[in-house]
Amino acid sequence: MSSLTPLVIANWKLNGNLDLVNALATTFAGKTFAAQIAVCPPAIYLRDTHFAIEETPLLVGGQNCSRYESGAFTGEISVSMLKGAGCDLCLIGHSERRAIFSETNQDCREKIKLALQQGLKPVLCIGEQLAEREANITQEVVVTQLRECLQGIDLGSSEICIAYEPVWAIGTGLAATPEMAQEVHAFIRQELAHLYSSPVAQRTPILYGGSVNKNNTAELMKQLDIDGLLVGGASLDVTHFLSICELASASVG
Ligand code: PGA
């Protein structure tokens, strides 16, 4: 069990609508959790979500941000716009952004820099593809992503969060076993200690993502280096997501 306050983030991806925003708000109204909970709806619903969840302990986050702050970049949304819409955090470098929209580690680095400058907590997503796991190069892949995304970034007193999401586990129903996830999480923490310092590694939450549901939450959260969860599909059912949040809260000893 981790010593950090667990963080559970819902990633709705390109799903949901105002009805789902309202269902989430109603389901979580008046509840308290030992875990911190955040929801990342599509950008068009961020502001509605921000207001709808006033009576809940939920935080709001973006699923993506621009690597530019302003200018002629049609279709982009800047970090300061996310902040203005009430966001506390932002996912950066989700594997779908990398695979489908060709986002690079360098893009992630620029986004992280902007997010840190503006006080928006970056949640950097990393993880290996199936072929890479089968070729036994998971550690190399994860280290390269970490080093390139964080190169030149001084964390100082700023907080960053890492989400380890093995690509083969995302949306497939095939979650990593708690042991497999723990092994990579411990490795990531070790690498953070190497890149920064032991205190930075200890205070940086490392979330697991990839087919998380209410049946695997408790076992995942028992692992020493799993500090929280990034939940896709299962977060679209607000009652299911509530169960995940309750189970993650119950993991706090
Ligand atoms: P999943 O997605 O829970 O549907 O596997 C997780 C994610 O992509 O963040």
Side-chain angles (χ1 to χ4, degrees), residues 28-42:
F28 280 75
K31 298 240 174 355
T32 52
F33 301 92
Q36 251 190 347
I37 324 281
V39 58
C40 300

Side-chain angles (χ1 to χ4, degrees), residues 31 90-91 171:
K31 298 240 174 355
C90 186
L91 305 182

Side-chain angles (χ1 to χ4, degrees), residues 23 26 39 47 58 89 92 120 187 195 205 216:
T26 311
V39 58
R47 195 133 179 89
L58 300 183
L89 51 89
I92 290 178
L120 189 71
F187 177 74
L195 287 176
N216 56 24

